[in-house]
Amino acid sequence: MRLLIAAAGKWKAGGKSGPERALFEQYAGRIAFALELREVEEKKKLKPDALKRREGELLLAQVPDGAVVVALDEAGRTLTSAAFAERIGRWRDEARDVVFLIGGADGLDGAVKKRADFVIGFGSQTWPHLLVRGLLAEQIYRAECILSGHPYHRE
């Protein structure tokens, strides 16, 4: 199983590392699953609806054939960490690749949510799109720990 996080927007240029990137890298570095982060960005200045649509196209272009598509959206289904781990374990056992799609500052286009096999959220609050990468990496790491019986996750 390979995991891909496709995210709209890029880290700050110039090699400066902010706390969002540090959080992502801290947890991504612990994950044993093959994990890749792909950033997509539209360079043209577009109005918010057009930008969201274009980012959706760029995100969907990252999805390999046969992969499970998981969209992250504030209106998505909230799962306990154990339930998230169960899904990850099922996809691992089915030898399915999983692609997580994270929209930009304006969120995900409806076409992305429609294409997704599963839409999850980290609660009904709105989170900065760069921070969601770190939150997702932590939950993937936690899922891996749950599946392996590692004590990181305490119930």
Side-chain angles (χ1 to χ4, degrees):
M1 177 176 78
R2 293 179 315 146
L3 302 175
L4 169 64
I5 298 172
K10 295 198 176 205
W11 301 116
K12 291 184 180 181
K16 295 190 179 189
S17 218
E20 299 91 347
R21 186 174 189 161
L23 179 68
F24 173 80
E25 289 176 354
Q26 176 184 354
Y27 287 104
R30 296 178 182 182
I31 296 169
F33 293 130
L35 175 69
E36 179 183 356
L37 171 66
R38 290 188 197 162
E39 297 174 308
V40 300
E41 185 177 44
E42 176 55 52
K43 298 286 188 184
K44 295 178 189 171
K45 297 291 183 198
L46 300 172
K47 293 185 181 201
D49 285 344
L51 178 60
K52 190 160 62 167
R53 189 169 39 257
R54 179 64 182 138
E55 287 174 344
E57 293 168 355
L58 293 170
L59 288 169
L60 289 173
Q62 302 304 309
V63 177
D65 291 339
V68 175
V69 178
V70 180
L72 278 84
D73 185 75
E74 67 186 22
R77 184 171 167 198
T78 57
L79 299 174
T80 65
S81 294
F84 182 70
E86 181 183 326
R87 285 194 181 263
I88 294 283
R90 189 172 340 130
W91 295 325
R92 177 202 59 200
D93 294 347
E94 295 170 355
R96 305 268 319 264
D97 291 337
V98 182
V99 179
F100 296 94
L101 302 178
I102 302 171
D106 295 312
L108 283 174
D109 185 56
V112 174
K113 292 184 261 187
K114 185 176 180 181
R115 165 60 184 89
D117 298 299
F118 195 58
V119 181
I120 63 171
F122 292 142
S124 58
Q125 296 172 328
T126 302
W127 296 97
H129 66 286
L130 292 175
L131 183 57
V132 169
R133 299 169 186 199
L135 296 173
L136 177 59
E138 191 281 336
Q139 284 299 295
I140 292 170
Y141 174 69
R142 184 176 296 274
E144 197 172 71
C145 289
I146 290 168
L147 293 170
S148 68
H150 187 281
Y152 177 80
H153 178 75
R154 295 172 184 85
E155 293 190 70

